[in-house]
Amino acid sequence: MKASTKSVIIFMVVYLGSLSILATWVGYLYYMDQKNALIDKMHLEMRYKARSINAQLEYYHMNKSEQFTFYEEGYGIALYDNKSELIASTFMDDIDFSKLFYADNDEYYLIETLNKEYLDVKYIVIKKPLDTDQLNEIIEQIGLIAFYGFVFILFVALLLAKIMLSPIKRSIASLTKFMKDATHEMNTPISTILMSYEHMDKHNLDKKQLRSLDRIDIATKTLSGLYRDLSFASFHDYIEYEDTPIDVKEVILERIKYMDTLIQFKGLKVNTALKSKTIHMDKRKLILLIDNLLSNAIKFSRKNGEIQVNLTEQYFSVKDNGIGISKEDQKSIFDRFKSTNSLHGGFGVGLDIVNQICKEYHIKIELESEPSKGSTFRLVWSEQKSKS
């Protein structure tokens, strides 16, 4: 994933996420406010209804009527005496007389206590369900507002992201173009120097001249390795690669021989324990893997040290006894442009490329390292999987 794309995603997640949480909280408060207003209105209507029934009871009482009826559509009505014994009711729910107004799920109950008892009625209980249709209308309104609000906020977020990333994208594009042009121009002089070195007559040179020539060879091969790394980083999406069965052992021996001048120059001893192993991979990518791990081991090893190269059916590993890598640096060692030791230089590209290739081929990278004790990089082969 490109860094710019990742930045946009992080920005969108944080921006939209925070606004969504805020909008959800505001929507919840609005919903509760509307619901409470609806309950308050219903409470007031129930009180009016209780007083209306009380007036009817007074009328029946004054007229000494022994028979009376009461029914109101949408309401449940119950009458109780001063001992909370039921006199008459349109529903059979248990009543909590310790509360004046309470809810049981979506059913609300009002208990009206009468100062004067008519027809032995002390308590009037009014039952009314909460109007869920109105609540659903409120939820629909909130949902509609939330949808249009989210679309608007998403548009604003994309616009802000584009505005903020525009100068960064221009800078990255300019830097990428420079890297591609510089990488392309590096190839010809490097190839010329390597060819001249290979065809040079070294028999008539003294030790000092041979040592100087070795330095040229080392520097040129270092540049050649950097050229391959930069080419992969810059042109990876444009180069056609082809996976074929490759003898890993053969390629490892070839790359050790290629780096022999640098190995001898530092007085290093490379011990190998190589078993036959064939994998399905583009050879150029395998060379990038091996070269980066070998060159790092050579670069960070102490003079006259040892490097152990192992190849088994399960893994390929390179171990050195160099400066090692701290636990903190190990967390970011595979990030691009991350170099753990400024004294030894480097652009921090190599291990990022190793990481990319390993992810592409489902190869697990293991790192064991302690400062001043050296490092071991291990690539654990996986079963061959088709790449998407």
Side-chain angles (χ1 to χ4, degrees):
M1 184 183 294
K2 292 182 179 179
S4 58
T5 306
K6 188 176 181 180
S7 298
V8 170
I9 292 174
I10 292 174
F11 170 76
M12 296 289 284
V13 169
V14 173
Y15 181 75
L16 294 178
S18 58
L19 286 180
S20 297
I21 292 172
L22 179 62
T24 301
W25 177 245
V26 171
Y28 172 76
L29 291 178
Y30 175 76
Y31 171 79
M32 292 305 298
D33 180 69
Q34 293 297 308
K35 182 179 179 180
N36 289 333
L38 190 63
I39 292 172
D40 289 341
K41 180 183 177 183
M42 184 177 68
H43 184 196
L44 189 62
E45 291 174 351
M46 292 169 75
R47 292 203 67 181
Y48 279 128
K49 187 58 61 180
R51 290 175 183 177
S52 173
I53 294 172
N54 185 35
Q56 292 181 47
L57 290 173
E58 184 179 3
Y59 173 80
Y60 287 128
H61 178 79
M62 297 299 293
N63 288 277
K64 298 181 180 180
S65 174
E66 295 182 358
Q67 294 184 347
F68 58 90
T69 59
F70 57 92
Y71 173 77
E72 295 289 344
E73 187 176 355
Y75 292 90
I77 301 171
L79 306 177
Y80 290 83
D81 62 17
N82 56 10
K83 295 181 180 179
S84 301
E85 296 291 338
L86 180 64
I87 297 175
S89 177
T90 61
F91 62 92
M92 299 303 295
D93 299 347
D94 293 330
I95 303 301
D96 185 357
F97 286 93
S98 64
K99 299 174 183 178
L100 299 178
F101 183 73
Y102 67 94
D104 185 6
N105 295 323
D106 288 332
E107 301 287 348
Y108 284 78
Y109 298 85
L110 172 74
I111 301 174
E112 185 77 11
T113 304
L114 304 181
N115 294 324
K116 291 184 178 181
E117 300 181 17
Y118 300 109
L119 304 178
D120 296 327
V121 176
K122 180 64 175 178
Y123 301 104
I124 300 174
V125 179
I126 306 296
K127 172 186 173 182
K128 184 177 175 64
L130 187 62
D131 192 343
T132 55
D133 290 338
Q134 291 190 40
L135 285 179
N136 290 334
E137 286 180 8
I138 295 171
I139 293 173
E140 288 177 5
Q141 291 175 4
I142 294 173
L144 195 62
I145 294 171
F147 173 75
Y148 286 111
F150 180 80
V151 172
F152 175 74
I153 291 171
L154 181 62
F155 172 76
V156 172
L158 290 171
L159 185 62
L160 288 175
K162 186 176 181 180
I163 292 171
M164 289 188 297
L165 289 176
S166 181
I168 300 174
K169 282 185 174 181
R170 286 196 297 268
S171 299
I172 292 174
S174 178
L175 180 61
T176 302
K177 184 177 184 301
F178 170 76
M179 286 181 61
K180 289 180 178 180
D181 293 343
T183 302
H184 179 72
E185 295 299 327
M186 283 172 61
N187 188 32
T188 302
I190 290 173
S191 300
T192 301
I193 295 171
L194 284 173
M195 288 180 62
S196 299
Y197 173 82
E198 294 294 335
H199 292 88
M200 185 177 289
D201 184 6
K202 306 177 185 66
H203 295 91
N204 298 321
L205 301 178
D206 57 32
K207 287 186 177 180
K208 186 177 181 181
Q209 291 172 326
L210 286 171
R211 192 165 182 81
S212 297
L213 199 61
D214 285 343
R215 287 195 179 97
I216 294 173
D217 182 38
I218 291 169
T220 308
K221 287 180 177 177
T222 301
L223 282 174
S224 179
L226 178 60
Y227 166 75
R228 286 195 300 272
D229 287 347
L230 291 177
S231 294
F232 181 86
S234 302
F235 304 110
H236 177 251
D237 294 332
Y238 307 99
I239 299 174
E240 291 187 6
Y241 294 100
E242 182 180 359
D243 293 345
T244 58
I246 305 173
D247 186 342
V248 182
K249 178 180 178 180
E250 182 181 322
V251 178
I252 292 173
L253 292 174
E254 175 188 314
R255 303 321 292 171
I256 292 174
K257 184 178 180 181
Y258 176 80
M259 297 184 183
D260 185 63
T261 305
L262 181 56
I263 293 169
Q264 296 301 324
F265 191 82
K266 291 194 69 171
L268 301 174
K269 181 181 179 182
V270 178
N271 300 315
T272 59
L274 309 176
K275 295 183 179 180
S276 295
K277 172 65 179 178
T278 301
I279 63 171
H280 202 71
M281 181 186 287
D282 186 274
K283 186 175 180 180
R284 288 166 293 181
K285 292 181 180 179
L286 180 60
I287 288 174
L288 283 171
L289 285 179
I290 296 170
D291 280 8
N292 275 300
L293 295 183
L294 279 177
S295 62
N296 277 348
I298 294 168
K299 182 191 299 184
F300 295 109
S301 288
R302 297 182 177 87
K303 284 190 175 182
N304 303 315
E306 291 188 4
I307 296 174
Q308 181 66 44
V309 180
N310 294 336
L311 175 65
T312 70
E313 189 67 29
Q314 288 76 37
Y315 65 86
F316 162 63
S317 67
V318 178
K319 179 181 180 182
D320 64 66
N321 59 353
I323 61 174
I325 305 168
S326 68
K327 293 291 185 183
E328 186 66 28
D329 284 333
Q330 288 181 36
K331 298 176 182 177
S332 57
I333 191 68
F334 295 101
D335 294 344
R336 180 170 292 190
F337 305 126
K338 174 67 178 180
S339 182
T340 59
N341 194 298
S342 58
L343 295 176
H344 289 79
F347 293 97
V349 177
L351 288 179
D352 172 66
I353 290 172
V354 170
N355 190 36
Q356 286 187 55
I357 295 174
C358 286
K359 284 182 178 179
E360 184 179 353
Y361 289 91
H362 310 285
I363 299 171
K364 182 182 179 183
I365 306 175
E366 295 179 351
L367 170 59
E368 298 173 5
S369 185
E370 290 184 37
S372 303
K373 291 186 179 181
S375 304
T376 300
F377 286 85
R378 186 179 296 107
L379 306 184
V380 182
W381 313 117
S382 66
E383 294 181 4
Q384 293 292 323
K385 299 179 181 179
S386 58
K387 297 174 292 174
S388 56

